[in-house]
Amino acid sequence: MSHTAKSGQQMQNPLYPKSHVLVTYNANQKLGANSNIKQDEYMVAPVIPLHLGSNIHLILNPTLTYNRNISNQQVTNQQQPIQFPSYFTVILDKRWFAGIGPYVQTPASNANNGSRQTGVGISAGALYAPDNWTIGATMFNSWGIGNDLSGGSANILNVQPTLSYTSDHAWTYNLSSQMNFNYTARNATNQLTLSGGKTVKLLDYHVSFQLGPTYMVTTTPTSAKGFGAYLGVSIKSAQ
């Protein structure tokens, strides 16, 4: 694999101990009880590693999401709670990555912005990353603190399996899923994403572009439905 291809593979692995930033855009449709809401979702998720010893790292992965909802030509801005998964990660044979750590979710400012509960729990992940491949999953389990359920519950389980292949020439193809189960509402969503793209060197950085369709396999009455679109950009130092 070329150096650029290896960097592209590393950016597919949220437990790899190198700093990088993932910026994504999701175009979703048919939200709401009447399926009349369109949503543009933007996310920024930096990976921040802290070296703790030989093959042991603390990986911080704060996630900031911003939604722009369009309903009947009326625009509302919806900002989801900020999520802070973290992983005390052990690396074995430079291929196996396993981590576990605390998870915190901040309460939303009002009921239109998501759960007004504080969420605390655990985050964990396990990935296998031989040459060209990244296979595994990350997850978090959150328990809601507080009695204000006006914006929904923070009692959730989120699992994100991924399967990606990066060619020797830095083309990456990825199949991933975003499965979310709400313990209080007793319902679940599952969005599949199939994307492909290229990692290139721009100045002193490697930049990976991914583009593809999404599909909601399982839905709730208010979630997105059917097909959507995904665009992701990851940025990492070329050093």
Side-chain angles (χ1 to χ4, degrees):
M1 298 178 71
S2 67
H3 180 53
T4 301
K6 289 181 180 179
S7 189
Q9 180 193 9
Q10 292 164 5
M11 285 187 280
Q12 295 294 312
N13 183 354
L15 300 185
Y16 195 86
K18 291 288 185 180
S19 298
H20 66 272
V21 177
L22 172 64
V23 180
T24 67
Y25 165 73
N26 270 285
N28 297 312
Q29 61 173 337
K30 297 182 180 180
L31 282 79
N34 298 316
S35 298
N36 62 346
I37 300 174
K38 295 181 180 179
Q39 182 186 79
D40 296 321
E41 180 183 86
Y42 305 88
M43 185 188 77
V44 179
V47 172
I48 306 168
L50 301 175
H51 181 69
L52 300 180
S54 178
N55 295 327
I56 301 175
H57 305 267
L58 172 60
I59 307 292
L60 306 176
N61 187 206
T63 303
L64 296 84
T65 306
Y66 178 79
N67 292 330
R68 179 175 178 266
N69 292 346
I70 305 172
S71 175
N72 296 328
Q73 299 182 343
Q74 299 296 314
V75 177
T76 60
N77 291 326
Q78 181 185 46
Q79 187 172 1
Q80 292 184 343
I82 302 172
Q83 300 166 324
F84 294 91
S86 60
Y87 312 88
F88 289 95
T89 300
V90 176
I91 304 172
L92 301 174
D93 195 31
K94 298 181 180 180
R95 297 183 176 189
W96 294 94
F97 300 78
I100 189 169
Y103 170 87
V104 178
Q105 176 176 301
T106 63
S109 58
N110 62 66
N112 293 325
N113 292 347
S115 176
R116 302 197 70 179
Q117 290 186 310
T118 298
V120 297
I122 59 171
S123 45
L127 294 113
Y128 177 54
D131 286 347
N132 303 103
W133 293 92
T134 302
I135 305 166
T138 57
M139 58 79 68
F140 64 80
N141 196 102
S142 171
W143 293 274
I145 297 176
N147 298 319
D148 191 343
L149 298 178
S150 58
S153 168
N155 293 312
I156 53 175
L157 170 66
N158 180 279
V159 183
Q160 301 177 44
T162 185
L163 170 65
S164 74
Y165 173 79
T166 302
S167 74
D168 292 343
H169 301 290
W171 286 93
T172 295
Y173 308 95
N174 178 271
L175 176 64
S176 62
S177 178
Q178 179 93 234
M179 297 183 287
N180 198 76
F181 177 74
N182 188 300
Y183 292 106
T184 303
R186 308 299 295 179
N187 58 33
T189 58
N190 180 13
Q191 184 177 54
L192 283 179
T193 301
L194 178 63
S195 64
K198 176 78 169 175
T199 300
V200 298
K201 185 176 181 181
L202 296 176
L203 300 176
D204 293 328
Y205 297 92
H206 284 142
V207 182
S208 178
F209 299 92
Q210 292 281 296
L211 177 68
T214 65
Y215 182 74
M216 296 296 296
V217 179
T218 59
T219 65
T220 70
T222 57
S223 71
K225 302 170 185 67
F227 284 96
Y230 169 86
L231 172 63
V233 179
S234 297
I235 303 171
K236 175 180 169 293
S237 172
Q239 303 299 320

